[in-house]
């Protein structure tokens, strides 16, 4: 347990500028500190953790402040079941496009066949359908069923990750774990993929 | 083979606005059309393909116009070996950060052990090292070796993709294939992963 510290020390420990911390306080993303006798606010471990979560959402997830607020509201509301809080994180990472991409129904049917249960307004559902449309425009890819082997791999890993997140001692830690699992590992995969492609293109 | 068409028809066929086409022409990203007797420029299939490639780089790859120019220069220069042109596409997708992330040497050693040959200034090398640092900051992930199983899967797929790209009839088609393989499929993977996580978080 960290002793209570002033905003300057909170900034030093989290590598978030004092100006940003004050902005998050004003916007209500970060709870107020405790007022001491000499009218100075002090902060504790909870503030460190919350700042870390905000920065992960902004820096890694690329969320706007409005999206961070929506996500944190779901995280903080104990009445929201944990799986809905996970959903809020995932939905907060992207938005649903205004037009329905053509292969949307195909993707829905595919998910249904796989027995995956996702919100009908999940941004990832729309984005995947858009990507299928893009692939087809470039003469790539036929049936959505071609994603099955990729999905098999991902499905097994996702189950493990969710179990791991659920095993965390509290909601903030669980959601943080889910967020890192989603956003950081998908970038890790993408970068490893680029390295593999570069290496393969040098061979022979 | 498409007959030669006016800029308005080129715009209609590619879904790229006339203003954007004229901008790409001015910036030298798109070769000039052929002047007809009545001093009107007409365009052909090559322009359609080049526009499609520019839009893929911008819309899917998120490249700036300067980055598109650098990438297309490598694509167009027949003196540049094809694997360097593939490298230019992959390097164009991201930049090398100014500071060296702490785990950079670990990632280099890991790639070396795997026998992957990548440019020492490959952006993906730096980005992966940054992600390792992020994971550690959040108390996730230990050794880089934990990525081995992910890398095994990716390695096999990358070989197939590069072979497929190389089998294309010309450089533009090969590079386009490599770009789609890199950028679109990494997004496909990410979206399927998000759907799997959402579904898994609903279970039980």
């Amino acid at each position: 347990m960290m002793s209570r510290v002033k905003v300057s020390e909170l900034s030093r420990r989290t590598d978030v500028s004092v100006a940003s911390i004050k902005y998050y306080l004003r916007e209500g993303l970060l709870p107020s500190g405790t007022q001491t006798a000499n009218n100075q606010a002090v902060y504790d471990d909870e503030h460190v953790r919350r700042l870390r979560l905000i920065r992960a959402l902004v820096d890694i997830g690329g969320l706007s402040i409005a999206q961070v607020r929506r996500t944190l509201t779901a995280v903080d509301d104990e009445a929201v079941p944990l799986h809905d809080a996970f959903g809020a994180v995932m939905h907060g990472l992207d938005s649903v496009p205004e037009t329905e991409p053509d292969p949307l129904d195909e993707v829905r049917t595919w998910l249904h066949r796989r027995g995956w249960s996702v919100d009908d307004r999940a941004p990832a559902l729309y984005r995947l359908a858009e990507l299928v449309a893009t692939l087809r425009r470039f003469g790539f890819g036929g049936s959505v069923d071609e994603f099955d082997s990729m999905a098999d791999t991902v499905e097994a890993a996702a189950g493990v990750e969710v179990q791991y997140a659920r095993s965390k001692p509290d909601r903030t830690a669980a959601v943080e774990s889910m967020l890192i699992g989603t956003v950081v590992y998908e970038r890790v995969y993408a970068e490893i993929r680029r390295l593999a492609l570069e290496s393969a293109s040098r061979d022979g």
Side-chain angles (χ1 to χ4, degrees), chain A residues 139-154:
Chain A
F140 276 76
S143 162
V144 178
D145 297 338
E146 285 170 21
F147 298 148
D148 265 327
S149 66
M150 207 187 265
D152 289 342
T153 317
V154 163

Side-chain angles (χ1 to χ4, degrees), chain A residues 29 54 204:
Chain A
L29 303 182
I54 293 171

